[in-house]
Structures are given as C-alpha cells and as structure tokens.
C-alpha cells in the first residue's frame, strides 16, 4: 500500500516555499519514512532470528542447573545415608554400653546381695554359736546349783576330746593347725575365724620362680625339680631381710614363718606372730591392701599359735633324713680323709724305712771296701818285708 504524504499545513508568518524547495523537502521526508520502515523490518527479522538461540541457551542453562541440582541432591542423599549409618552405629554402641552397664550393675547388685546374705548367715551362725555357748553355760550352772542343793560335790566338766584332730568331726583340723584349708568355703567342717589374734597371716606374699612355675600346673609335681633348695633358701633370706624391718616397725615380732609348701592354699603364706593382739591389729590395718612385688597383700587374723603342730610331720621326717644323710656323708668324708691320712703316714714310714735301709747298705758297703783296702795294704807290707 502506497503512502501519500501531504504537505505540512501553512503556518502564519511563514515564508511560502518554492516548488523546487518543496519537492526536495518532500523527498527527504519520504526517504526518512522509508529508512524507518526498513529499520523496523530489520529489527523484527533480527528478533525472530535471535529468539531460537536465546531459547536454546536458556534450555541448556536450565539443563545444567537441573544437573547441578541433581548432583547436589545425590551428594546430600549420600551424606544423609552416611550420617544415618553413623547415627545407627552410635546408637548401637550406646545401647550396647547401656546394656553392659546394666549387666555390670546387676552383677554388682547380685554380688552385693550375696555378700550381704553371706555376712548375714555368718552373723546368724555366730549368734547361734553364742546362744549355744550361753545355753551350755546356763545348763552347767543349773546342773551345779542342782548338785549343790542335793548335797553332792560339784566338779568342772571334762574337756572335749579329739578337738583339732582328724577325729573331730565338727571343726576343721587343717584350719586350726595352719589357718588355711584346701577346700576353703566348701569345707564340710567349721572354720572359726578369729576376730583378734596375735598371729597375722598374709596369703601368697612370698613368691619364687619355682613357685610361679608350679602355679601354671598345680598337678605337675616335677615342675620345680630344677630349682634347688639352696636357691630357694637364699631367696628366703633376701625376702626376710627385706620385709622383716617393716613388720618390726609395728611391734615386737616373736615368730616369722614362711610356708614353702607347694599346695595352692599354703603356697607362699607368711605368718607373723606379735607379742600382743593390739600390735597385730595395727599391723593388719597397716599392711592390708598394700602392694608388694606387684601383688596386693591380703591380711587376716590367724588362729595358729603352736608352730609344732603347724609344721608338717613329713617335712620334719624328710628334714631329719636329710640331716642324717648329711651327717652320714660328713662321717664318710671324714673316714675317707682319715684313711688318706693313714695311707700318707704309712707311705711316709715305708719311705723312711727304705731310706734307712739304703743308708745302712751304703754304710755296710763302705765298711766292706775299707776292710778290703786295709787287707791289701797289709798284704803289700808283708811282701815288702
């Protein structure tokens, strides 16, 4: 469609243009309109061309953003999974620790209940024994009063027989003699644990290398054969010089005994007898729970006061046999030395007699030679005459 331009309206006071000038302005206005139309057309075409490029770029950016979001989401899921696993493991550990703590607390409670029950039973037993003694004393007093009322002579009751021996079925003879029993709390006989005593017992305080070897196998009697008694005695002397001053710091020590028996309930037990029970109680308070040679000491009062019954008779017999053998060996050695001395003296006498005989023979031969020379001289004088 053609565009017709109308001349601008006349303006008052404006000079009227010539036809030529008017035609030039009109052409100029047409060219301007044409350029504007071409520019608008060009802009519209460029816009249509750039629109797909912008759409493609925006699509690529959206895709990259989506991929980045997906990657970040996967990383977050992985971290979340690891965190869940760590949380689950931590929860399991906390649950296991809680269960273990509950089991330990339950075990401690059960042990405490058993200990309380045992102490209660021990207290009941002591009370029962006390009541029995009181009843026996009261019965004896009633019997004495009845005998006095009847006019008969009262006398003290006979002492119990076989107490502390194998025939005593009520009390444990091993505990009475040594303060220790191989059966421990499982023993069928009574163990009278003293509340105070002059003798202090420290279990397993003296330990040697041979004893350690025997501990590994209590039923192997040949475990310590390679360790001589002289070595053990030397170790005992070192132990004696090390610990005795500590025990003497409490009070006067009357007896210091160490068990060299390899039985588990007697192995390395140390017995310290003080002059009074007060000193023994102070020693128990001081040494119980202390550490010596990497071991915690367990001290208790011991009923042993007579050491003749505490020492094993077999040990005494073996000791006597060893002493007898040593005396016999010394006697044989002395007799052998005496024989050697007699042989030496006899040899010396024979040698002396032999020397005297040889000297006499030399003297006799010398006298014989002198006689012959004298006879020759005499014969020579006669011939000359």
């Amino acid at each position: 469609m053609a565009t017709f331009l109308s001349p601008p309206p006349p303006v008052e006071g404006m000079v009227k243009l010539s036809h030529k000038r008017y035609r030039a302005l009109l052409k100029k206005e047409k060219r301007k309109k044409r350029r504007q139309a071409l520019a608008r057309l060009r802009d519209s075409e460029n816009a249509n061309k750039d629109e797909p490029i912008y759409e493609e770029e925006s699509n690529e950016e959206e895709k990259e953003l989506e991929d980045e979001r997906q990657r970040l989401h996967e990383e977050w899921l992985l971290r979340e999974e690891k965190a869940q696993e760590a949380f689950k493991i931590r929860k399991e550990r906390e649950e296991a620790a809680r269960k273990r703590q509950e089991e330990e607390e339950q075990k401690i409670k059960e042990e405490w209940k058993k200990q309380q029950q045992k102490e209660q039973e021990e207290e009941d037993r002591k009370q029962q024994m006390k009541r029995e003694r009181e009843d026996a004393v009261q019965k004896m007093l009633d019997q004495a009063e009845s005998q006095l009322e009847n006019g008969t002579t009262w006398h003290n009751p006979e002492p119990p027989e076989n107490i502390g021996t194998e025939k005593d079925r009520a009390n444990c003879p091993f505990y009475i003699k040594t303060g220790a029993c191989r059966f421990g709390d499982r023993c069928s006989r009574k163990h009278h644990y003293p509340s105070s005593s002059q003798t202090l017992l420290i279990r397993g305080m003296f330990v040697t290398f041979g004893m350690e070897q025997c501990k590994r196998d209590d039923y192997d009697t040949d475990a310590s054969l390679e360790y001589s008694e002289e070595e053990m005695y030397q170790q005992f002397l070192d132990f004696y010089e090390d610990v005795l001053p500590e025990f003497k710091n409490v009070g006067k020590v009357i007896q210091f005994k160490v068990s060299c028996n390899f039985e588990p309930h007697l192995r390395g037990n140390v017995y310290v007898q003080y002059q009074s029970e007060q000193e023994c109680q102070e020693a128990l308070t001081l040494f119980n729970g202390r550490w010596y040679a990497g071991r915690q000491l367990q001290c208790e009062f011991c009923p042993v006061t007579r050491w003749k019954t505490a020492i094993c008779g077999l040990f005494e017999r073996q000791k006597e046999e060893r002493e007898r053998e040593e005396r016999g060996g010394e006697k044989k050695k002395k007799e052998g030395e005496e024989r050697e001395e007699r042989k030496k003296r006899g040899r010396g006498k024979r040698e002396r007699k032999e020397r005297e005989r040889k000297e006499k023979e030399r003297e006799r031969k010398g006298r014989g030679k002198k006689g012959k020379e004298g006879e020759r001289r005499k014969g020579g004088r006669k011939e000359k005459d």
Side-chain angles (χ1 to χ4, degrees):
M1 182 177 180
T3 303
F4 297 97
L5 297 175
S6 59
V11 180
E12 293 182 358
M14 185 176 178
V15 180
K16 187 177 180 179
L17 299 175
S18 61
H19 182 70
K20 187 176 180 181
R21 183 66 180 167
Y22 176 76
R23 291 293 301 268
L25 290 172
L26 185 61
K27 288 181 180 179
K28 185 177 180 181
E29 188 69 22
K30 287 181 180 180
R31 287 195 299 272
K32 182 179 177 181
K33 295 290 185 182
R34 195 179 299 113
R35 286 195 305 272
Q36 290 177 355
L38 291 174
R40 284 194 298 271
L41 181 60
R42 187 173 60 252
D43 292 338
S44 63
E45 290 179 355
N46 291 334
N48 292 331
K49 288 181 181 180
D50 294 339
E51 185 176 359
I53 296 172
Y54 294 151
E55 289 179 358
E56 290 178 0
E57 290 179 354
S58 62
N59 291 334
E60 289 178 358
E61 290 177 357
E62 290 178 0
K63 189 175 181 181
E64 290 178 357
L65 292 173
E66 185 66 25
D67 294 340
E68 184 68 17
R69 283 195 297 271
Q70 186 67 24
R71 185 179 63 79
L72 294 174
H73 182 67
E74 290 177 356
E75 291 179 356
W76 178 82
L77 289 176
L78 185 61
R79 288 195 302 271
E80 184 68 19
E81 185 178 357
K82 291 181 179 179
Q84 290 291 338
E85 291 178 357
F87 179 75
K88 185 177 180 182
I89 292 171
R90 188 172 66 254
K91 282 291 184 182
E92 290 178 354
R93 290 179 179 175
E94 291 177 356
E95 185 69 19
R98 186 180 61 78
K99 288 183 178 179
R100 188 164 56 251
Q101 186 178 1
E102 290 178 355
E103 290 176 358
E104 290 178 356
E105 291 177 355
Q106 186 68 22
K107 187 176 180 181
I108 292 171
K109 288 181 180 178
E110 292 177 357
E111 291 179 355
W112 182 80
K113 288 181 180 178
K114 289 181 180 178
Q115 184 68 20
Q116 292 293 324
Q117 185 178 0
K118 186 177 178 181
E119 291 178 358
Q120 186 65 32
E121 291 177 356
E122 185 68 19
E123 187 67 24
D124 295 341
R125 186 177 64 82
K126 290 181 180 179
Q127 293 293 334
Q128 182 67 23
M129 291 173 62
K130 185 177 179 181
R131 286 194 296 269
E132 289 177 358
R133 287 195 300 269
E134 291 176 353
D135 295 340
V137 172
Q138 187 64 33
K139 184 178 179 181
M140 184 177 63
L141 293 175
D142 294 341
Q143 186 179 0
E145 289 178 358
S146 63
Q147 288 179 359
L148 290 174
E149 289 176 358
N150 295 330
T152 58
T153 304
W154 181 83
H155 58 84
N156 289 326
E158 296 294 331
E161 297 180 356
N162 303 323
I163 186 169
T165 63
E166 291 294 334
K167 295 181 181 179
D168 187 6
R169 298 299 176 183
N171 302 307
C172 179
F174 297 104
Y175 184 79
I176 294 173
K177 293 177 181 178
T178 63
C181 179
R182 70 181 65 188
F183 301 106
D185 296 334
R186 298 180 291 107
C187 185
S188 59
R189 303 183 185 183
K190 292 182 181 178
H191 293 174
H192 297 284
Y193 298 98
S195 60
S196 179
S197 176
Q198 294 181 356
T199 306
L200 182 68
L201 170 61
I202 304 114
R203 297 185 181 273
M205 185 178 180
F206 177 65
V207 179
T208 62
F209 190 73
M211 289 181 178
E212 289 290 338
Q213 290 295 110
C214 290
K215 273 186 179 180
R216 297 179 181 177
D217 190 358
D218 291 333
Y219 300 98
D220 186 6
T221 57
D222 299 335
S224 62
L225 289 179
E226 59 186 45
Y227 308 102
S228 63
E229 294 185 1
E230 289 78 8
E231 295 176 352
M232 185 180 294
Y233 184 69
Q234 185 61 40
Q235 291 177 355
F236 165 73
L237 292 179
D238 297 339
F239 174 77
Y240 177 83
E241 294 174 356
D242 186 23
V243 302
L244 185 62
E246 290 291 331
F247 290 112
K248 284 185 176 180
N249 290 334
V250 180
K252 184 178 180 180
V253 177
I254 299 175
Q255 292 286 345
F256 182 83
K257 301 287 185 181
V258 175
S259 175
C260 60
N261 199 312
F262 286 96
E263 291 296 327
H265 65 288
L266 293 173
R267 183 185 298 142
N269 290 353
V270 176
Y271 300 84
V272 185
Q273 185 178 359
Y274 285 94
Q275 190 174 10
S276 64
E277 294 183 358
Q278 182 66 27
E279 294 175 352
C280 189
Q281 290 177 358
E282 292 177 2
L284 177 66
T285 306
L286 179 62
F287 294 109
N288 190 28
R290 286 183 59 178
W291 291 83
Y292 178 78
R295 294 176 178 82
Q296 193 171 16
L297 303 183
Q298 298 178 359
C299 304
E300 60 185 69
F301 292 118
C302 181
V304 180
T305 54
R306 298 179 59 203
W307 302 103
K308 186 176 180 180
T309 58
I311 298 174
C312 180
L314 180 61
F315 174 78
E316 290 292 337
R317 287 194 295 273
Q318 290 177 353
K319 185 177 179 181
E320 290 176 359
E321 290 177 359
R322 286 194 298 269
E323 290 178 355
R324 196 180 302 113
E325 289 177 358
E326 289 177 359
R327 287 197 298 270
E330 291 177 357
K331 186 177 179 180
K332 290 180 180 179
K333 185 178 179 180
K334 189 175 181 180
E335 290 176 355
E337 291 177 355
E338 289 177 355
R339 283 197 300 270
E340 291 292 332
E341 187 67 25
R342 285 197 297 270
K343 286 180 180 180
K344 288 180 180 179
R345 287 199 298 268
R347 195 180 301 115
K349 287 181 180 180
R350 287 195 297 271
E351 290 178 355
R352 191 164 53 252
K353 288 180 180 180
E354 186 68 24
R355 284 196 302 271
E356 290 175 357
R357 186 180 61 77
K358 289 181 179 181
E359 288 177 358
K360 288 179 180 180
E361 286 180 358
R362 283 196 298 270
E363 289 177 358
R364 194 168 46 251
K365 287 180 180 180
R367 286 195 299 269
K369 288 180 180 181
K370 288 179 180 180
K372 288 179 181 181
E373 289 178 358
E375 289 177 357
R376 284 196 211 101
R377 288 173 185 172
K378 289 179 181 179
R381 288 196 194 101
K382 289 178 180 179
E383 288 175 1
K384 288 179 181 179
D385 294 337

